[in-house]
Amino acid sequence: MREGPDHVPRFKASVNFNGEVFVSPTYCTTLRQAEHAAAEVALNTLSARGPSRSLTARVFDESGVYKNLLQETAHKAGLDLPLYTTIRTGPGHVPVFTSTVELAGMSFTGESAKTKKQAEKNAAIAAWSSLKTNK
């Protein structure tokens, strides 16, 4: 949704997930900010409802939204961007990756995974979940 004059437009966005609509809580100065705000409302609402391995969580895992949210949160707070460190273990033909993300002097380690990319996503999920719980 767009409102206001052309030289200072304001935007509000909504996300439809499985028939449920989530709306950005406030008007934003850019469409992208409004879309991210609506996605954050959806993420927070849906992730609070069930276990982390639910369909909703898997969809968010695959989209990488947690890594994006961490990066945007760090940027807004004036912090250094999240730093990921990944360790590879296991035999060469069946590697196991474990990632840790550092943010604001804190470290968060995610569940191990079969790929580096998924291990980083898991670390971001661990960080985001912990930060939202301790808010």
Side-chain angles (χ1 to χ4, degrees):
M1 296 171 269
R2 178 189 169 133
E3 74 168 29
D6 286 342
H7 66 286
V8 280
R10 296 183 337 153
F11 299 91
K12 221 172 189 190
S14 62
V15 172
N16 183 329
F17 183 80
N18 230 16
E20 192 169 356
V21 177
F22 303 92
V23 179
S24 56
T26 59
Y27 279 92
C28 301
T29 56
T30 69
L31 179 59
R32 181 183 170 113
Q33 288 173 339
E35 289 171 343
H36 281 267
E40 189 170 356
V41 169
L43 171 66
N44 290 335
T45 302
L46 295 169
S47 65
R49 288 187 187 163
S52 64
R53 296 291 87 184
S54 69
L55 170 63
T56 302
R58 286 198 308 268
V59 168
F60 284 129
D61 287 359
E62 289 306 310
S63 69
V65 76
Y66 293 97
K67 286 183 75 174
N68 291 341
L69 286 170
L70 278 185
Q71 187 167 335
E72 288 178 15
T73 300
H75 180 72
K76 285 179 187 174
L79 302 170
D80 289 337
L81 293 179
L83 177 64
Y84 292 87
T85 305
T86 304
I87 298 171
R88 179 184 171 152
T89 58
H93 64 289
V94 189
V96 176
F97 297 90
T98 305
S99 287
T100 300
V101 61
E102 293 179 38
L103 179 66
M106 297 177 283
S107 292
F108 306 92
T109 302
E111 293 179 22
S112 296
K114 295 178 181 179
T115 67
K116 180 180 177 184
K117 183 176 181 179
Q118 187 60 51
E120 287 182 356
K121 288 179 184 179
N122 291 348
I125 291 167
W128 185 258
S129 298
S130 179
L131 293 170
K132 288 309 247 185
T133 302
N134 295 325
K135 213 174 183 184

